[in-house]
Amino acid sequence: MIRAIVLAFLLPLAARAQLALFAMNGNIEVPIGASLDLGKVAAGDASSVRIRLRNTGPSKADITRFSADGTGFTLDRPSLPFPIAPGSAQDVLLSFSASMPALYSANLQVSTSVNSVSAIVLATVVVGPVLTVFPACTGSDGPPPSIDFGRVQAGQARLCNFYLRNASTQEMTIATFRVTGSGFQISAGPKAPFKIAAGETAVFVITFTANAAGLYTGALAIETRTYVLTGAAFDTPLPKPLLEFDAGPIQSAQQRRLTIRLPTAASVSVSGTVNLAFLPDTTAVADDPAIVFLATGTRSLPFSVSQGSTNILINTQTSAVFQTGTSSGRIRFTVSGVSTDGDPTTMLTVPASPVSLDTATATRRTGNLDIALVGFDNTYSTGSMTFTFFDTSGGTLPTGAIRADFTPEFRAFFTKAQAGSTFQVRISFPVTGDTSGIGSVDVQLSNASGVKLQHLVF
Amino acid sequence: MRSALLVFCSLCAYTQGIEVPTVGAIVDSSENLRPVQGVAGNFWLGAARASGVLSASCSERLCLAKTDSKILSATGQADAPSGPAIFWVDRDDAIAFFPETRTFARWHDDRLDPLDWTVDGEVLSMDSAGIAVRREGHVWIVRPDGEVVDWVTDTVGPVLLLADEVLFATPDELILRRHDGSELRFPLIGATAITAMSAHYAAIRAGDSSYAFRTEAGREQIFLLPGNPP
């Protein structure tokens, strides 16, 4: 009894469910009235349209039938039955294809348990012109049908010849004949509308020209058929760039200048990136972070060259300053982002050298003699030191040469700091007695490359 | 004989730790105060110690940074007139000049004490010799009471007074003039600011680039400092 009452309430609601059919043009809903004309379809081609079924009523609609009954028509939709909530919609794909020229129709019908909507769908199959493309372009029947212009040097043109043949027994009018898309244009051939006699051929040429490297797409529309046009443009290979450096031997802790020029003028304007990388001799560190281009503190800079020029601008400047760091090894310069006529990779070798001291001082404190050293060891092997103290007359003190080995401390520091081989260290000598007679000290620092001797005055 | 009284603990040589050398500090192009680390010819900038910094100056023992409303040190801060400041940092003390209010103050123990100095002209730099001011295109050294001590140059560029020299820029050169009148000149276009980076380095701003100038006698040299990544 209760179930019967509930159904009695539900029935009027279901009866108010309303369905509306739309043909989708992009995201725009175009109402379908009594009929939907798919227009001309070339024999053997497929034509599709997205159909939207919208429930405009206040209650849920259970779709029990959704069909397109007619030769050549197919409908891609969810399995039946399926519900559509109030205000919601369901899209389906209506397709048509036939090989015999004729007018085709189908009954597009949608039903719920309480009402239904329907429309007549029409399609006209015609004999389309036959397109033939000649090398260097290549064609594909698809779907979608496409024509590839291949790879073309930027700034250069690629011309492709086409034949458009009327294979039917009647004169054919070509009303739609156009090319769209950046880089593509019809450079020779008839202008629409034009006629092709039965069995005859129209000849036309499409040119693909791109001023910059990249992938390009366009479209060739001929009557009912649209061909996707594709092409790729690449930069002209640059003459092999010459990477050059300011004069003088390469050493650690230098700021050097890189210039790049071309042996011959660039045929087109191009841009790319110059990069540096560091390969240390030692295994104590993986890298030396101070080896960078100073303009940005990075290891890559953009470069550009204008058509007709041999001078390459690096980061808009005529040269780029970089640091050689404080590690022996090799600095490798490469260019990327542009094709070159040969590998321009250039290596700089930073040779191993004895410890270099940036500043060194010797001072007296009560009970201590201090020696402060700031420098770098590009071999990462220092630590063995010898100190020879002299009196104010220059005579060697009876202590003789005092040896100390801080190799473990330096090794631990270098490994932990990962900041190149720069260091700042204070070495102290506890003393008792009057230190005023100590006038100077010779400091010897050894590393794998040699011995650095520094004389310091207290 | 004296050395006989001296006893070395020859086996006791010790280090007080090994560190990454720090050259000084600069204000980078993003208004961050950053330490400059490394050695001459091999610099990198450390992590920012303060942001929103308008100007800064450092000695070996004290580094001061001016934000819009405060002066910051490693150990404290104090309210200050708005805008940048020109500093003379000497050991643990400093004198600050605030261009927007044209007032001087002394920094000591993280406190700022006003000074009753009054100087005409554009204040460029300060040190123990006096205050460098620009008047009608000429740079003079004046005392806090306004008395003119010396003429420096007629440059329109920035000026930094050093202990024994003056460092100033023309539109296309950086010039280090010693007290004996001799000069060292370095090509540099468009310098807009010179500040003390440390006891032995000056920081120079020119366009988008920052430079370090080594001021030690006999080792004068200009270096480019790493810029900020784009």
Side-chain angles (χ1 to χ4, degrees):
Chain A
M1 182 62 183
I2 292 174
R3 179 182 178 86
I5 291 172
V6 171
L7 286 174
F9 277 106
L10 287 177
L11 278 173
L13 293 174
R16 288 205 298 272
Q18 293 179 351
L19 299 173
L21 283 168
F22 301 91
M24 298 305 295
N25 181 7
N27 289 323
I28 299 173
E29 295 178 344
V30 179
I32 298 174
S35 66
L36 171 65
D37 191 350
L38 299 184
K40 293 180 181 177
V41 180
D45 280 4
S47 177
S48 298
V49 62
R50 189 156 54 100
I51 302 293
R52 174 163 295 174
L53 177 61
R54 181 175 291 285
N55 178 2
T56 59
S59 59
K60 184 183 76 169
D62 288 312
I63 308 303
T64 56
R65 174 173 183 167
F66 197 166
S67 61
D69 299 325
T71 303
F73 291 89
T74 58
L75 201 59
D76 185 4
R77 55 152 171 76
S79 298
L80 296 174
F82 62 85
I84 304 178
S88 294
Q90 175 67 52
D91 285 0
V92 302
L93 190 66
L94 174 63
S95 300
F96 171 76
S97 179
S99 57
M100 294 295 293
L103 175 64
Y104 291 78
S105 66
N107 182 24
L108 180 64
Q109 188 168 354
V110 184
S111 298
T112 68
S113 57
V114 294
N115 65 353
S116 65
V117 293
S118 64
I120 299 298
V121 184
L122 302 171
T124 304
V125 173
V126 297
V127 176
V130 178
L131 183 67
T132 303
V133 59
F134 292 89
C137 290
T138 55
S140 166
D141 290 331
S146 61
I147 298 158
D148 183 22
F149 283 67
R151 285 169 48 80
V152 182
Q153 187 171 300
Q156 303 291 312
R158 171 154 295 167
L159 280 62
C160 284
N161 296 311
F162 294 83
Y163 282 2
L164 192 62
R165 186 168 63 89
N166 177 3
S168 74
T169 56
Q170 296 178 335
E171 182 181 69
M172 182 181 291
T173 298
I174 306 296
T176 301
F177 180 66
R178 64 175 178 273
V179 162
T180 56
S182 174
F184 299 96
Q185 66 174 14
I186 297 173
S187 54
K191 285 186 167 49
F194 61 91
K195 297 179 186 299
I196 307 175
E200 293 299 311
T201 298
V203 179
F204 64 95
V205 179
I206 296 179
T207 304
F208 169 55
T209 309
N211 291 325
L215 298 175
Y216 293 79
T217 60
L220 166 63
I222 303 175
E223 288 297 278
T224 61
R225 188 172 290 184
T226 297
Y227 301 84
V228 175
L229 306 180
T230 58
F234 63 90
D235 284 328
T236 310
L238 273 183
K240 187 173 122 179
L242 301 172
L243 280 65
E244 297 171 327
F245 306 93
D246 51 342
I250 297 291
Q251 295 177 337
S252 286
Q254 289 181 331
Q255 295 192 341
R256 302 299 296 257
R257 193 170 292 274
L258 165 70
T259 56
I260 311 178
R261 65 179 175 88
L262 300 176
T264 57
S267 57
V268 293
S269 297
V270 296
S271 58
T273 304
V274 58
N275 317 287
L276 64 77
F278 181 62
L279 310 167
D281 288 339
T282 180
T283 57
V285 295
D287 199 358
D288 186 332
I291 300 176
V292 292
F293 290 115
L294 287 162
T296 56
T298 63
R299 290 186 165 181
S300 295
L301 287 178
F303 72 77
S304 62
V305 59
S306 300
Q307 184 178 20
S309 176
T310 59
N311 297 320
I312 288 182
L313 295 179
I314 309 171
N315 200 34
T316 73
Q317 304 296 312
T318 55
S319 62
V321 180
F322 65 95
Q323 292 186 146
T324 60
T326 55
S327 309
S328 69
R330 289 168 294 160
I331 305 174
R332 183 176 61 204
F333 293 84
T334 59
V335 300
S336 59
V338 62
S339 74
T340 58
D341 188 12
D343 185 359
T345 297
T346 303
M347 299 285 265
L348 284 184
T349 298
V350 181
S353 60
V355 171
S356 175
L357 293 179
D358 189 67
T359 60
T361 58
T363 54
R364 302 184 192 90
R365 280 186 298 143
T366 303
N368 277 281
L369 297 172
D370 293 332
I371 295 167
L373 306 172
V374 176
F376 63 88
D377 163 29
N378 76 1
T379 67
Y380 294 86
S381 59
T382 194
S384 175
M385 303 180 188
T386 303
F387 303 86
T388 305
F389 291 86
F390 302 94
D391 62 27
T392 52
S393 302
T396 305
L397 292 187
T399 53
I402 299 173
R403 290 180 175 78
D405 188 0
F406 300 113
T407 302
E409 288 87 344
F410 271 91
R411 188 174 297 275
F413 165 73
F414 289 142
T415 303
K416 181 181 178 186
Q418 292 291 317
S421 71
T422 58
F423 63 83
Q424 173 177 309
V425 64
R426 176 185 288 185
I427 298 148
S428 298
F429 292 85
V431 292
T432 55
D434 182 8
T435 60
S436 63
I438 301 175
S440 61
V441 60
D442 274 351
V443 182
Q444 291 184 63
L445 296 95
S446 301
N447 73 358
S449 185
V451 177
K452 167 70 177 178
L453 174 62
Q454 182 76 40
H455 183 72
L456 302 175
V457 177
F458 284 94
Chain B
M1 185 63 187
R2 182 179 289 168
S3 61
L5 300 175
L6 187 66
V7 178
F8 266 86
C9 179
S10 62
L11 299 177
C12 300
Y14 66 96
T15 72
Q16 298 174 10
I18 307 172
E19 298 175 338
V20 173
T22 297
V23 172
I26 65 161
V27 181
D28 72 8
S29 57
S30 300
E31 296 187 345
N32 294 313
L33 181 68
R34 299 177 67 182
V36 179
Q37 297 183 297
V39 296
N42 184 77
F43 299 107
W44 68 93
L45 304 183
R49 291 176 177 168
S51 59
V53 177
L54 304 178
S55 54
S57 187
C58 302
S59 70
E60 279 182 307
R61 293 157 63 163
L62 176 65
C63 198
L64 296 181
K66 178 67 176 65
T67 65
D68 187 54
S69 60
K70 293 182 182 302
I71 291 179
L72 312 178
S73 77
T75 56
Q77 62 180 42
D79 292 338
S82 64
I86 294 169
F87 294 107
W88 170 42
V89 181
D90 183 28
R91 295 175 179 270
D92 296 322
D93 293 345
I95 303 293
F97 172 74
F98 305 103
E100 292 197 6
T101 57
R102 297 198 58 78
T103 55
F104 292 85
R106 184 185 304 278
W107 174 273
H108 183 73
D109 292 334
D110 292 336
R111 279 189 14 237
L112 201 58
D113 300 321
L115 295 169
D116 60 354
W117 300 359
T118 301
V119 173
D120 293 332
E122 178 190 1
V123 174
L124 303 171
S125 180
M126 297 175 286
D127 82 342
S128 59
I131 303 163
V133 296
R134 181 160 24 233
R135 296 173 180 169
E136 298 177 347
H138 291 261
V139 179
W140 304 86
I141 304 292
V142 301
R143 295 193 191 284
D145 60 6
E147 179 190 355
V148 174
V149 177
D150 198 1
W151 176 87
V152 178
T153 178
D154 58 357
T155 184
V156 296
V159 175
L160 178 67
L161 298 179
L162 301 168
D164 296 312
E165 300 105 353
V166 58
L167 183 65
F168 60 95
T170 65
D172 56 5
E173 279 188 317
L174 183 70
I175 301 171
L176 182 72
R177 180 178 295 163
R178 298 195 176 99
H179 281 178
D180 63 5
S182 62
E183 290 182 344
L184 291 174
R185 292 172 175 258
F186 302 84
L188 182 64
I189 296 173
T192 54
I194 306 176
T195 56
M197 181 196 295
S198 64
H200 303 299
Y201 281 90
I204 301 153
R205 189 81 189 157
D208 293 332
S209 300
S210 293
Y211 296 84
F213 180 77
R214 192 169 199 172
T215 57
E216 290 174 273
R219 307 184 77 174
E220 298 88 347
Q221 194 172 352
I222 189 166
F223 301 96
L224 184 58
L225 291 175
N228 285 343

